[in-house]
Amino acid sequence: MLKDRPASDAKPDSEIEAVLAHLLAEDPTGARMAAAIRRTFDMLLDGQHTGRFRWEQLHKTEKTHCGTLIEINLQREFSFSDGEILDYSVAGVEVDCKYSQNLADWMIPPEAVGRLILGLWASDKAGQWSAGLIRADEENLTPAPNRDAKRRLSSCGRTAIRWMFEDAPLPENVLLRLPEKDIDAIFAPSSGQRRINELFERAQGRRISRSAVATVAMQEDYMKRVRGNGGARTALRDKGIVIFGQYTNHVQAAEGLGLPAPGPGEFVSARLVRRRPDHGDERWVELDGMHWVVATDDDPPERGPLLPNIG
């Protein structure tokens, strides 16, 4: 959720206003920040080589490294200049980037005291993230530093955070949203192709990211496992299951059926059947020269349509 107004008792701070205006002009919905956080989690999990998809599967050192990677990925995304003292220079203002696994539990180093903090929090399990600005004045910090001379925000400091985005949706890790029985079935086969087939059969109607595909396949040629010509599109067609990708006409067809629209690098699978009179007002699209609807449990399986590959 976007938070673009200060609390009524907040002190005016021209530097916070300047940085806030710059960030919101670059990323008014927060989609770019959210994508950078998503990339960071996926980099740490390295599912293609490890099969991991849960934060709890990371080693302690990897979790500690998360903040540094978020800092790097945000700088790459927004092309922030290096700061002379802190991480970035944003709108001509020195800004330190901090991430914590607990909301607003950022560790403030001595060189950042009195300066601006861009503080972030995210939870893959909750599917949410937050970002806000705070000036690390003495009144906003705890008096006692740790052994590295770093301090946390005081209760006063927590209330003074200028939230830009709070509890905003994080791009979904579909593997965290499936029932455990489906996860077990997906990862049970020794064949990467069979695992991918299970993924698209069991995660119908959900956006499936390229990262999730790589995690399940655990192979260098994981995208090949999705396509036709022997991939999941071929294997699942006899069951009526089609896999929409990021092509314009795939997106239009998915939306026409009332399914989530796959974004860049995403897929959405669904079982389709040819439209019959008893389907009534159900949404339909024309594919492969016929009219199709999303199947219900009562619809017997039939061979699905071929999807166009470009558009």
Side-chain angles (χ1 to χ4, degrees):
M1 181 168 58
L2 176 63
K3 300 278 189 177
D4 60 356
R5 294 183 180 178
S8 58
D9 58 349
K11 297 178 182 178
D13 190 318
S14 60
E15 289 189 338
I16 284 184
E17 295 302 324
V19 173
L20 179 70
H22 178 87
L23 292 176
L24 290 180
E26 290 286 316
D27 191 18
T29 66
R32 294 174 66 187
M33 281 192 186
I37 295 170
R38 175 77 269 157
R39 284 196 298 274
T40 300
F41 284 170
D42 290 343
M43 288 171 64
L44 285 169
L45 291 165
D46 191 20
Q48 180 181 345
H49 301 105
T50 67
R52 300 180 305 185
F53 58 91
R54 294 187 177 98
W55 175 265
E56 294 77 15
Q57 293 172 303
L58 294 174
H59 298 296
K60 182 178 180 180
T61 52
E62 292 173 311
K63 294 177 181 178
T64 302
H65 193 44
C66 184
T68 301
L69 282 180
I70 286 180
E71 173 196 326
I72 292 169
N73 284 330
L74 284 177
Q75 187 164 34
R76 288 175 177 171
E77 177 65 37
F78 293 98
S79 299
F80 294 139
S81 300
D82 289 333
E84 292 185 9
I85 300 172
L86 304 180
D87 296 324
Y88 312 140
S89 176
V90 181
V93 180
E94 292 273 324
V95 177
D96 213 27
C97 180
K98 294 296 173 190
Y99 166 82
S100 60
Q101 296 172 33
N102 297 314
L103 185 64
D105 193 28
W106 308 306
M107 301 302 297
I108 313 301
E111 65 270 19
V113 173
R115 299 181 182 272
L116 294 195
I117 305 297
L118 170 61
L120 299 108
W121 163 85
S123 168
D124 208 6
K125 185 175 183 179
Q128 294 179 327
W129 68 281
S130 298
L133 295 167
I134 179 70
R135 185 173 292 281
D137 284 337
E138 289 290 341
E139 65 186 34
N140 290 330
L141 300 176
T142 56
N146 66 7
R147 60 184 180 183
D148 297 322
K150 294 180 179 180
R151 292 189 278 174
R152 289 183 165 89
L153 293 181
S154 63
S155 57
C156 177
R158 286 172 176 260
T159 62
I161 297 169
R162 183 72 181 276
W163 292 111
M164 294 182 293
F165 303 97
E166 190 172 9
D167 297 334
L170 188 68
E172 187 174 71
N173 177 351
V174 69
L175 296 173
L176 292 178
R177 304 293 173 249
L178 296 176
E180 201 62 35
K181 64 179 180 63
D182 287 335
I183 291 295
D184 291 343
I186 288 168
F187 282 95
S190 58
S191 160
Q193 183 63 69
R194 289 181 57 199
R195 291 195 297 271
I196 291 297
N197 297 349
E198 287 285 345
L199 171 66
F200 282 104
E201 184 168 359
R202 292 175 179 273
Q204 292 181 48
R206 295 177 177 271
R207 292 185 179 91
I208 299 173
S209 69
R210 185 173 297 196
S211 176
V213 172
T215 299
V216 171
M218 286 186 280
Q219 295 174 335
E220 294 300 322
D221 58 349
Y222 60 90
M223 287 299 294
K224 181 180 178 181
R225 306 303 167 192
V226 180
R227 303 181 184 122
N229 299 319
R233 282 194 173 110
T234 300
L236 297 177
R237 189 183 173 201
D238 281 344
K239 296 183 177 183
I241 298 171
V242 300
I243 302 172
F244 298 102
Q246 65 184 23
Y247 298 119
T248 300
N249 45 16
H250 284 211
V251 172
Q252 291 171 343
E255 290 178 328
L257 290 166
L259 296 167
E266 292 181 334
F267 306 92
V268 174
S269 62
R271 186 170 74 88
L272 305 185
V273 293
R274 282 172 291 182
R275 183 171 178 250
R276 303 186 307 270
D278 60 290
H279 286 129
D281 295 330
E282 288 186 36
R283 298 173 68 166
W284 60 271
V285 295
E286 183 174 344
L287 294 168
D288 208 15
M290 290 178 282
H291 295 174
W292 299 84
V293 300
V294 176
T296 68
D297 291 340
D298 295 330
D299 289 312
E302 60 180 281
R303 186 172 173 81
L306 285 172
L307 299 181
N309 289 324
I310 58 174

